[in-house]
């Protein structure tokens, strides 16, 4: 699961005011005049800067504008201290004050939001739980040489008891929440879908029934669904089943131009995950080349997704293996590619053959299997 950005100092606001738009005014003490303040949206999969301003003589700043949906936002002025906000289109007027010299003593003040108090209490309680666990762990680490095995076991048991109690408390807390943004934050940072499956399943059901207009919740629910798919998949079983529609892919080619899988609809397409450094992939390439030559004029093509992280080696392999089709794409991030997570790829080569409607008809084809299916489908 992905982790939302956590900071020691977190401020969360919502408002039930009917006024549309937001005005955020504030003061951050002990910042140089003209320091840049950024207003970001923290989406589940990326961070987008919405606005920028500069502090005045007393550290004051102001943002105003309109938002289209409930989400998680932040005011950022360095890499260590940020002010986090939960806002919707009716956020109204919000006042913030913080002091860079004593964030750990008095991290902030805020006016106009009861929800900020709710979130702050949650975060304070969670911090207390984890500090309690950390204290016991530190005690054992500092005294490990002088402790008997039985005492070490007692300390380990105590750590486990406190950890389990903390997880149980967070599970119960999430179950009572009506704010989906805080729920996403709690689930993604403090629980996991394998150990706390019921909590994740229940929240995903809520998202699909009640939070269909909240992007951060929708994206989180999709991520949970993918995690469950990975957990439940049998060894060697494809991530996507025959008869289902393969999700869209839209990645840059060797020239940086995006090519979407959807643009090939109307053709039979082998979606092939490979890499220049992958020996088994390179060994399979001649079979794919033959299939392409034999059926390219009958409505078949290949959409190759590379897990390379070196552009030159990727391009050299395309040329050397004579991969003549034009649809070669890659994030150039190797196993860190987002597509790896989204498609549940744990080994390559992996491939899916989809029909003209984009439905999967076969997967993980090897040798002459691809040609045999194309011979039946493209008579």
């Amino acid at each position: 699961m992905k982790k939302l950005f956590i900071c020691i100092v977190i401020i969360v606001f919502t408002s039930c005011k009917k006024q549309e738009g937001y005005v955020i005014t504030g003061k951050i003490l002990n910042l140089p005049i003209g320091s840049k303040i950024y207003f970001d949206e923290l989406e589940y999969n990326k961070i987008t800067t919405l606005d920028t301003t500069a502090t005045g003589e007393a550290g004051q700043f102001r943002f105003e504008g309109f938002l289209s949906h409930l989400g998680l936002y932040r005011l950022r002025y360095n890499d260590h201290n940020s002010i986090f906000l939960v806002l919707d289109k009716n956020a109204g007027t919000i006042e913030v004050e913080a002091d860079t010299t004593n964030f750990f003593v008095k991290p902030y003040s805020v006016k106009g939001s009861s929800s900020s108090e709710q979130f702050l209490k949650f975060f304070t309680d969670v911090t207390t739980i984890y500090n309690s666990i950390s204290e016991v762990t530190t005690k054992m680490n500092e005294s490990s040489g002088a402790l008997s095995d039985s005492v070490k076991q007692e300390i380990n048991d105590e750590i486990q008891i406190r950890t389990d109690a903390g997880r149980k408390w967070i599970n119960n807390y999430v179950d009572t929440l009506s704010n989906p943004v805080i729920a996403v934050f709690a689930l993604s940072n403090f629980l996991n879908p394998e150990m706390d499956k019921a909590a994740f399943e229940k929240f995903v059901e809520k998202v699909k029934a009640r939070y269909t207009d909240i992007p951060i919740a929708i994206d989180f629910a999709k991520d949970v669904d993918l995690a469950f798919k990975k957990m439940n998949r049998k060894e060697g079983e494809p991530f996507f089943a025959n008869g289902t529609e393969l999700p869209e892919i839209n990645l840059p080619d060797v020239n940086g131009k995006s090519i979407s899988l959807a643009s090939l609809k109307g053709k039979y397409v082998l979606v092939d995950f490979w890499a220049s450094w992958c020996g088994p992939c390179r060994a399979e390439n001649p079979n794919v080349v033959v299939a392409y030559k034999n059926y390219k004029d009958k409505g078949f093509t290949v959409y190759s997704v590379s897990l390379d992280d070196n552009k030159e080696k990727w391009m050299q392999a395309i040329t050397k293996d004579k991969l003549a089709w034009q649809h070669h794409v890659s994030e150039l991030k190797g196993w860190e590619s987002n597509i790896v997570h989204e498609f549940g790829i744990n080994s390559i080569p992996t491939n899916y053959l989809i029909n003209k409607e984009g439905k999967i008809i076969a997967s993980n084809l090897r040798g002459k299997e691809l040609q045999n299916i194309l011979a039946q489908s493209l008579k």
Side-chain angles (χ1 to χ4, degrees):
M1 296 294 296
K2 293 183 173 66
K3 297 283 186 182
L4 290 177
F5 186 91
I6 303 179
C7 183
I8 292 297
V9 183
I10 296 183
I11 306 176
V12 175
F13 311 91
T14 60
S15 175
C16 59
K17 297 178 182 179
K18 294 184 179 179
Q19 174 189 346
E20 289 199 358
Y22 62 86
V23 176
I24 304 171
T25 61
K27 183 186 296 184
I28 300 179
L29 305 178
N30 296 300
L31 276 183
I33 299 172
S35 295
K36 281 191 174 181
I37 307 292
Y38 301 88
F39 181 48
D40 301 330
E41 179 178 4
L42 301 183
E43 300 170 78
Y44 190 67
N45 296 312
K46 64 178 181 179
I47 299 173
T48 303
T49 297
L50 304 179
D51 202 356
T52 307
T53 190
T55 56
E57 185 174 351
Q60 69 272 26
F61 63 88
R62 177 187 176 93
F63 289 103
E64 60 180 292
F66 296 89
L67 301 170
S68 61
H69 55 263
L70 176 67
L72 181 63
Y73 303 86
R74 73 177 178 188
L75 301 173
R76 166 175 58 92
Y77 59 91
N78 63 25
D79 294 333
H80 307 291
N81 300 117
S82 300
I83 297 169
F84 287 73
L85 317 162
V86 174
L87 303 172
D88 62 19
K89 65 180 181 180
N90 300 316
T93 301
I94 301 157
E95 297 180 22
V96 181
E97 184 170 326
D99 188 335
T100 61
T101 62
N102 68 346
F103 255 58
F104 296 101
V105 179
K106 183 184 177 184
Y108 66 85
S109 66
V110 56
K111 295 180 181 178
S113 173
S114 59
S115 293
S116 62
E117 296 176 10
Q118 178 192 17
F119 188 95
L120 182 59
K121 186 177 187 311
F122 162 71
F123 193 75
T124 301
D125 289 344
V126 167
T127 301
T128 300
I129 291 169
Y130 279 86
N131 284 343
S132 172
I133 297 169
S134 180
E135 286 172 4
V136 180
T137 304
T138 301
K139 177 182 177 182
M140 184 174 70
N141 291 339
E142 291 179 348
S143 308
S144 58
L147 298 176
S148 66
D149 290 342
S150 60
V151 172
K152 289 180 183 178
Q153 186 59 52
E154 288 178 6
I155 294 175
N156 280 324
D157 291 343
E158 179 63 24
I159 291 171
Q160 190 62 53
I161 289 170
R162 296 189 185 194
T163 300
D164 290 343
R167 281 183 47 251
K168 183 178 180 180
W169 182 87
I170 296 168
N171 268 276
N172 292 336
Y173 181 83
V174 169
D175 193 41
T176 67
L177 277 172
S178 60
N179 189 314
V181 174
I182 301 176
V184 168
F185 182 88
L187 286 164
S188 62
N189 284 302
F190 302 107
L191 301 177
N192 72 72
E194 188 168 2
M195 297 179 67
D196 308 287
K197 186 177 180 182
F200 281 81
E201 286 179 331
K202 191 169 185 179
F203 182 71
V204 168
E205 287 176 7
K206 286 183 181 179
V207 172
K208 294 176 179 178
R210 296 161 49 186
Y211 305 136
T212 56
D213 59 344
I214 302 174
I216 193 171
I218 295 168
D219 291 341
F220 174 74
K222 289 179 181 176
D223 199 56
V224 173
D225 282 339
L226 287 175
F228 284 148
K229 270 191 176 182
K230 290 178 180 178
M231 287 163 48
N232 298 328
R233 183 169 45 156
K234 297 177 182 177
E235 184 70 28
E237 184 180 41
F239 198 57
F240 301 104
N242 286 358
T244 62
E245 189 169 332
L246 199 67
E248 170 66 321
I249 306 173
N250 192 357
L251 295 174
D253 66 7
V254 294
N255 298 312
K257 179 182 178 182
S258 292
I259 301 177
S260 69
L261 181 59
S263 68
L264 303 179
K265 207 157 192 177
K267 291 180 177 288
Y268 278 74
V269 183
L270 182 73
V271 181
D272 189 27
F273 298 89
W274 75 295
S276 67
W277 45 261
C278 170
C281 302
R282 303 292 294 273
E284 280 296 328
N285 278 345
N287 297 317
V288 180
V289 169
V290 171
Y292 177 70
K293 286 180 178 178
N294 291 340
Y295 294 96
K296 66 179 180 178
D297 296 327
K298 296 182 180 181
F300 169 70
T301 192
V302 183
Y303 185 90
S304 293
V305 183
S306 169
L307 299 189
D308 276 281
D309 57 10
N310 184 300
K311 184 176 180 180
E312 293 303 316
K313 290 182 179 179
W314 173 38
M315 295 176 66
Q316 288 170 8
I318 293 171
T319 301
K320 186 173 182 179
D321 291 3
K322 300 179 180 179
L323 310 183
W325 49 91
Q326 300 301 310
H327 316 109
H328 292 278
V329 299
S330 179
E331 296 175 75
L332 292 174
K333 295 180 180 179
W335 283 109
E336 299 302 315
S337 302
N338 292 325
I339 202 77
V340 170
H341 173 69
E342 293 168 4
F343 279 68
I345 298 169
N346 51 30
S347 66
I348 52 175
T350 291
N351 61 52
Y352 293 93
L353 180 62
I354 60 177
N355 63 16
K356 294 179 180 180
E357 290 74 42
K359 299 290 181 65
I360 300 169
I361 61 173
S363 59
N364 293 333
L365 301 170
R366 300 287 185 270
K368 293 184 178 180
E369 291 176 340
L370 174 59
Q371 287 198 75
N372 292 340
I373 292 178
L374 292 175
Q376 293 291 323
S377 302
L378 297 173
K379 293 180 180 179

